[in-house]
Amino acid sequence: MSARPVRRPTEHAAIRAAVRSARRLPPVHTILADLIAAHRAGDQHGVNLCAHLAVRVAAPEVGE
């Protein structure tokens, strides 16, 4: 018996809506302050998120 993927139309609609909507990014100084706080707390996941977000703010054409 093969498992068929469950079709979720609301999930597809949510992804389409997220792609169409522009999200405002916080100022880079706020992101860097959070990056420093995450580093001091030893939160590697937070450091990673803040670093990637800082790159998106600094160079918006990257990753698009």
Side-chain angles (χ1 to χ4, degrees):
M1 183 165 121
S2 65
R4 299 171 90 184
V6 177
R7 189 162 177 243
R8 295 183 176 93
T10 55
E11 181 181 10
H12 183 66
I15 291 171
R16 277 197 339 243
V19 168
R20 284 190 310 245
S21 66
R23 284 171 248 132
R24 293 187 50 188
L25 296 172
V28 73
H29 64 84
T30 304
I31 298 169
L32 294 179
D34 291 341
L35 177 82
I36 292 169
H39 181 42
R40 287 182 180 159
D43 180 9
Q44 187 59 41
H45 184 66
V47 169
N48 193 10
L49 288 174
C50 290
H52 283 88
L53 187 57
V55 170
R56 283 187 59 205
V57 170
E61 68 276 355
V62 174
E64 290 186 10

